Amino acid sequence: MTAAAPTRTSPRPRGSDYADLSRRVSQVGLLDRRPAWYAARIVLTVGAYLAGWAVLLAGGDSWWQLLTAVGLAVAATQVAFLGHDAGHRQMFRTRRASETAGLLLGNLGVGLGYGWWMDKHTRHHANPNHVDDDPDVGAGALVWTEEQAAATRGFGRWLARRQAYLFFPMLLLEGLSLRVASVRSVINGPVKRRVVEGVLLAAHTAAYLGIVFAVLSPLRAVAFIALHQALWGLYMGCAFAPNHKGMPMFGPDDDLDFLRKQVLTSRNVRGGWFVDLLLGGLNYQIEHHLFPSMPRPHLRYAQPIVRGYCQERDLPYTEAGLIDSYAEALRHLHSVGQPLR
């Protein structure tokens, strides 16, 4: 169950709480890098991704290749998880190595713009679930507050009324949305290495389309691309949806320290090793937001420390099962659209 946030009249928490928690985590080595773990994970994940493309090349022109599209959608999302870790410097300590890995895994590997994602994701981490400053809860195809819903017009208003029912079908377009946003950012956005990112995105697109249309007939190629992109977007959206959706949201009048800002807006997802693999470690969202550079395999060990620390300070620590986390997100979307119904 989601615990209630403290009242807005509460006095401002002590700023030293996070420093105290950080010392506890650091003392047991959980902020240390894990190069061997990441080397193995990169080899296995990228190897599985390349193996999927090898199956496509070897399988020839057949409708059975749609099964390959399913496998490649899963593998591409796992590659994107590695790009996420690189962006947070979980793999490497230096910025150059992290950016190189992010560009290769993101732009070249799966066609997701590293510079665009870094700008958006950094702003999200700085102010999660902040109605003005978190781009992940800004009004768009979906609305996250009743104020955003009230401001919708036309088709957007129709969509907001039904967004809880349409959430998962809309995620089938998330892959296309990510690609369009990446290209737009390279053309006119907050990207530092515009030429490099553009070349890598173009190389990915050329290789992707070239291989698919070289192996498959036009009709099968279109079906393959549509299925692959739809499932990739669905998987990506489902991996990020449980983390903050349905959790408390704050505005400019709320004054929270870093610890409470991150803990109160984040939700962990229970489920053991399978959920760890399925969600790429993002199921430890509270720990990840508190310590973004913590290597993925250390998050599970940090969890009891963080949970215990929150209990010491009577700070709500929210966990839910995978299905329940989606249900809470959908309930929030449904309640936001209620005034329009």
Side-chain angles (χ1 to χ4, degrees):
M1 294 178 61
T2 301
T7 60
R8 310 242 170 148
T9 58
S10 301
R12 181 172 181 170
R14 292 177 293 117
S16 61
D17 283 352
Y18 177 72
D20 184 23
L21 174 61
S22 184
R23 281 192 295 270
R24 297 189 189 188
V25 168
S26 181
Q27 284 172 355
V28 293
L30 295 181
L31 297 179
D32 297 342
R33 298 298 188 276
R34 290 286 301 275
W37 188 92
Y38 270 112
R41 182 54 60 98
I42 290 171
V43 169
L44 291 173
T45 304
V46 175
Y49 187 50
L50 294 177
W53 287 107
V55 169
L56 175 63
L57 289 169
D61 186 18
S62 166
W63 285 110
W64 287 105
Q65 294 284 22
L66 294 181
L67 295 177
T68 307
V70 176
L72 277 172
V74 174
T77 306
Q78 291 292 327
V79 172
F81 289 156
L82 288 175
H84 168 269
D85 293 0
H88 282 296
R89 298 196 195 181
Q90 295 176 18
M91 297 179 180
F92 309 103
R93 191 174 301 277
T94 66
R95 180 184 297 274
R96 180 181 293 274
S98 299
E99 288 184 348
T100 300
L103 288 167
L104 292 176
L105 293 165
N107 293 57
L108 183 61
V110 297
L112 178 60
Y114 177 76
W116 165 78
W117 176 83
M118 278 294 294
D119 173 74
K120 180 175 182 288
H121 198 61
T122 299
R123 288 186 285 130
H124 159 69
H125 266 265
N127 292 286
N129 272 20
H130 191 287
V131 293
D132 293 331
D133 298 327
D134 183 357
D136 287 355
V137 294
L142 299 171
V143 292
W144 306 103
T145 67
E146 291 186 4
E147 291 77 13
Q148 291 175 352
T152 58
R153 297 291 182 271
F155 178 69
R157 198 172 184 85
W158 180 91
L159 198 62
R161 294 191 191 103
R162 302 162 176 83
Q163 60 180 6
Y165 302 102
L166 297 174
F167 176 69
F168 287 109
M170 289 172 65
L171 287 183
L172 296 173
L173 298 175
E174 179 67 10
L176 177 62
S177 175
L178 293 173
R179 294 184 185 281
V180 170
S182 298
V183 173
R184 284 181 175 175
S185 184
V186 169
I187 296 173
N188 184 26
V191 175
K192 293 184 296 183
R193 293 171 175 80
R194 204 175 302 275
V195 174
V196 173
E197 293 221 20
V199 168
L200 291 176
L201 284 175
H204 168 84
T205 303
Y208 180 95
L209 296 177
I211 292 173
V212 172
F213 278 98
V215 173
L216 302 176
S217 64
L219 179 60
R220 288 172 179 153
V222 170
F224 179 97
I225 292 171
L227 181 62
H228 176 242
Q229 294 303 309
L231 293 181
W232 179 58
L234 179 66
Y235 189 0
M236 289 284 285
C238 287
F240 287 90
N243 303 335
H244 304 279
K245 305 305 182 270
M247 295 299 292
M249 298 182 66
F250 298 98
D253 296 332
D254 297 295
D255 189 17
L256 300 174
D257 70 337
F258 181 80
L259 176 69
R260 286 156 180 82
K261 181 190 297 185
Q262 304 299 337
V263 172
L264 295 176
T265 59
S266 302
R267 176 195 297 111
N268 278 15
V269 180
R270 294 187 296 265
W273 69 268
F274 177 73
V275 172
D276 290 2
L277 176 64
L278 183 70
L279 299 183
L282 296 176
N283 47 310
Y284 300 105
Q285 192 67 193
I286 296 173
E287 289 71 28
H288 171 60
H289 261 254
L290 289 171
F291 306 101
S293 64
M294 179 180 289
R296 192 195 308 179
H298 288 173
L299 293 170
R300 62 190 295 261
Y301 299 110
Q303 184 182 36
I305 300 175
V306 174
R307 185 197 290 122
Y309 192 83
C310 290
Q311 290 174 349
E312 290 176 18
R313 281 152 179 77
D314 295 322
L315 184 61
Y317 182 96
T318 304
E319 297 180 277
L322 183 62
I323 302 302
D324 287 341
S325 70
Y326 291 127
E328 291 182 23
L330 293 176
R331 279 194 291 268
H332 174 74
L333 289 171
H334 190 67
S335 66
V336 166
Q338 180 64 38
L340 301 183
R341 294 191 291 276

